[in-house]
C-alpha cells in the first residue's frame, strides 16, 4: 500500500494519508513555531496532500500555522478542510478553559450551529488560513459526547443552520464539498439520512479495536457514494504505543478490560506474523472501499516517515484471514 490514492477521489484528496493539524495546535503538549513548520514541510515533502484543521484546534493556532505553510506551496497541489460549529471571540476578562490544548491562542471558542454562525466561522478561518477556497468543510462535534442532554437541539440546529449554509456555499461554487466530523457512527448515519453530504470524517469507530461503523455508517455511505475519512485509527494511543505501554489510553481514557484483552490478542497476532501493530492499525480501514483517507495527527517530523513506513509495510492476506478467524475483525 502506498501513499498515493487508488483512482481519483470525488472531493480532491491527493494522498491516502492526511495530515491532521490538531498536534500543531498544541494538543496535550506545547509545539514551538519552528517545529510546527518543520513537520508540515516534512509531510508535504513526503507526499501528504490532504491537510485537515479546525477552529477548535489550539483555539485558532492550528489554522494560523497551517495557513502560513500552505501559502508557500501551489494552491492546486493540496486539499484542505476545516470545520464549522464554533467561532472564536476575545475572552474579555472571562476565564477560558484550555482543556486539552497546552498553549492555545488567547481566544474563547463559542458553539454556534446557526446559518450566520457558520458564515462567521468560515470568515474567521479564511482570515487565519490566508485564503478562502476551502475544498471541504465539516460540521464539527454534533454528538452526545460533546453536547450531552442538549444534543437533539444541537443536531436540529446543525441541519437547519450549518448544513443549509454550507449547501448554499457549495451550490454557489465557493466550497467543493460538505461533510460532517463526529465520533459516533449512528449520528454520522443520521446526518446522511438528513443531508446531502460528500464525506464523513468518523473518529475511532472504524479501527482494529472498534468496527461499529461497519454496522450502519459504511453501508449507507457506500450506497450513497459518500467518501469516508477515518481519524483516530490508533484509538488515541493503545494501537500506537501497544497495550503493554505505561499509561496506555483508549479514546483518551483508561481502556476497559475487554478492549485491553482484544488489543493484547491483536498485538500477539501481529507478532506472530512479524507485523508492527501500528501498520495493521493504519492499513485496516482501507480494506473497506468507502474509505478514502486516514487522517493522522503529527507534531514531530520523525512521525511523518514512521507513518509512511507503516502504511507501506507489506501485510499478507494470511494475517487478515487469521484476524477474521479469530473474530478480531469481520470476515
Amino acid at each position: 500500500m502506498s501513499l498515493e490514492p487508488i483512482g481519483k477521489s470525488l472531493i480532491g484528496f491527493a494522498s491516502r494519508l492526511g495530515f491532521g493539524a490538531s498536534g500543531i495546535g498544541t494538543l496535550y503538549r506545547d509545539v514551538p513555531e519552528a517545529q510546527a513548520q518543520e513537520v508540515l514541510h516534512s509531510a508535504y515533502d513526503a507526499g501528504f496532500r490532504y491537510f485537515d484543521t479546525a477552529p477548535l484546534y489550539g483555539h485558532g493556532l492550528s489554522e494560523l500555522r497551517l495557513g502560513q505553510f500552505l501559502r508557500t506551496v501551489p494552491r492546486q497541489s493540496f486539499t484542505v478542510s476545516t470545520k464549522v460549529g464554533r467561532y472564536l471571540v476575545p475572552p474579555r476578562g472571562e476565564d477560558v478553559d484550555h482543556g486539552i490544548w497546552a498553549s492555545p491562542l488567547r481566544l474563547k471558542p463559542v458553539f454556534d450551529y446557526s446559518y450566520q454562525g457558520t458564515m462567521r466561522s468560515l470568515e474567521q478561518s479564511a482570515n487565519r488560513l490566508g485564503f478562502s477556497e476551502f475544498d471541504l468543510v465539516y460540521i464539527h462535534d454534533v454528538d452526545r459526547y460533546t453536547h450531552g442532554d442538549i444534543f437533539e437541539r444541537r443536531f436540529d440546529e446543525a441541519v437547519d443552520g450549518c448544513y443549509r449554509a454550507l449547501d448554499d456555499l457549495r451550490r454557489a461554487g465557493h466550497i467543493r464539498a460538505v461533510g460532517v466530523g463526529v465520533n459516533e457512527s449512528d449520528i454520522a448515519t443520521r446526518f446522511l439520512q438528513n443531508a446531502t453530504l460528500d464525506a464523513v470524517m468518523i473518529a475511532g469507530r472504524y479501527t482494529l479495536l472498534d468496527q461499529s461503523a461497519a454496522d450502519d455508517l459504511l453501508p449507507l455511505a457506500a450506497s450513497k457514494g459518500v467518501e469516508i475519512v477515518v481519524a483516530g485509527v490508533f484509538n488515541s494511543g493503545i494501537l500506537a504505543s501497544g497495550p503493554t505501554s505505561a499509561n496506555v489510553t483508549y479514546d483518551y481514557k483508561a481502556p476497559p478490560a475487554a478492549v485491553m484483552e482484544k488489543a493484547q490478542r491483536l498485538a500477539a497476532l501481529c507478532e506472530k506474523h512479524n507485523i508492527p501493530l501500528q501498520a495493521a492499525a493504519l492499513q485496516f480501514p482501507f480494506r473497506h472501499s468507502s474509505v478514502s483517507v486516514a487522517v493522522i495527527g503529527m507534531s514531530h517530523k520523525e512521525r511523518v516517515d514512521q507513518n509512511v513506513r507503516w502504511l507501506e509495510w507489506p501485510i499478507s492476506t494470511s494475517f487478515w484471514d487469521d484476524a477474521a478467524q479469530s473474530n478480531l475483525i469481520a470476515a
Side-chain angles (χ1 to χ4, degrees):
M1 186 174 291
S2 72
L3 197 62
E4 294 298 315
I6 297 175
K8 179 173 174 58
S9 166
L10 296 173
I11 50 182
F13 295 131
S15 61
R16 190 176 291 274
L17 292 186
F19 184 96
S22 58
I24 62 171
T26 69
L27 178 66
Y28 295 122
R29 59 187 62 86
D30 190 26
V31 178
E33 186 67 40
Q35 181 179 324
Q37 295 304 314
E38 183 179 53
V39 69
L40 286 165
H41 278 276
S42 295
Y44 189 86
D45 290 344
F48 283 70
R49 290 297 183 270
Y50 173 45
F51 296 84
D52 174 70
T53 184
L56 174 65
Y57 302 161
H59 298 183
L61 182 60
S62 172
E63 288 184 322
L64 203 61
R65 287 175 163 178
L66 180 60
Q68 181 180 344
F69 165 72
L70 290 179
R71 292 194 304 275
T72 68
V73 297
R75 177 62 186 89
Q76 65 273 17
S77 71
F78 61 85
T79 294
V80 64
S81 59
T82 191
K83 304 180 181 73
V84 292
R86 297 175 178 90
Y87 53 74
L88 303 170
V89 299
R92 305 198 187 284
E94 294 182 52
D95 290 334
V96 178
D97 181 6
H98 291 170
I100 57 179
W101 311 103
S103 187
L105 297 183
R106 297 177 64 184
L107 296 170
K108 177 185 176 182
V110 175
F111 280 112
D112 192 335
Y113 293 102
S114 70
Y115 190 103
Q116 291 301 324
T118 299
M119 295 301 191
R120 182 175 182 179
S121 175
L122 284 176
E123 287 175 357
Q124 291 185 353
S125 292
N127 288 334
R128 286 187 291 268
L129 285 164
F131 52 82
S132 59
E133 305 87 4
F134 303 112
D135 297 296
L136 169 61
V137 179
Y138 296 106
I139 303 169
H140 197 198
D141 284 347
V142 186
D143 50 37
R144 301 180 193 91
Y145 176 83
T146 305
H147 298 293
D149 293 340
I150 64 169
F151 160 71
E152 291 293 340
R153 177 162 64 84
R154 290 297 197 192
F155 182 89
D156 291 342
E157 288 174 357
V159 172
D160 184 59
C162 275
Y163 173 69
R164 192 162 53 88
L166 295 179
D167 189 41
D168 284 350
L169 291 171
R170 178 174 55 185
R171 291 171 185 272
H174 298 307
I175 61 177
R176 181 185 296 175
V178 176
V180 61
V182 293
N183 299 286
E184 297 160 16
S185 64
D186 65 317
I187 293 173
T189 301
R190 188 170 163 188
F191 266 105
L192 283 182
Q193 295 166 338
N194 286 272
T196 302
L197 301 178
D198 303 290
V200 170
M201 177 181 281
I202 187 70
R205 303 287 77 84
Y206 193 58
T207 72
L208 278 177
L209 283 174
D210 185 338
Q211 294 145 40
S212 55
D215 297 332
D216 49 13
L217 174 62
L218 297 188
L220 183 59
S223 71
K224 290 178 173 287
V226 173
E227 295 191 65
I228 298 294
V229 177
V230 293
V233 296
F234 300 125
N235 284 115
S236 89
I238 190 170
L239 293 177
S241 58
T244 60
S245 300
N247 301 317
V248 66
T249 60
Y250 171 77
D251 289 356
Y252 308 102
K253 297 175 289 188
V259 169
M260 181 64 82
E261 187 269 338
K262 184 176 182 179
Q264 290 168 343
R265 291 174 60 206
L266 282 165
L269 186 63
C270 286
E271 186 175 359
K272 174 185 173 183
H273 285 264
N274 195 30
I275 296 167
L277 176 61
Q278 300 91 334
L282 190 53
Q283 293 187 35
F284 166 75
F286 293 109
R287 291 171 56 78
H288 197 285
S289 60
S290 291
V291 175
S292 296
V293 181
V295 170
I296 310 295
M298 293 169 285
S299 56
H300 294 275
K301 67 174 185 177
E302 293 79 12
R303 298 296 186 190
V304 173
D305 290 338
Q306 189 176 58
N307 281 308
V308 172
R309 285 197 302 272
W310 287 335
L311 181 71
E312 296 176 345
W313 195 280
I315 299 180
S316 67
T317 55
S318 63
F319 169 78
W320 301 116
D321 291 343
D322 281 357
Q325 291 168 8
S326 303
N327 293 319
L328 293 169
I329 62 172

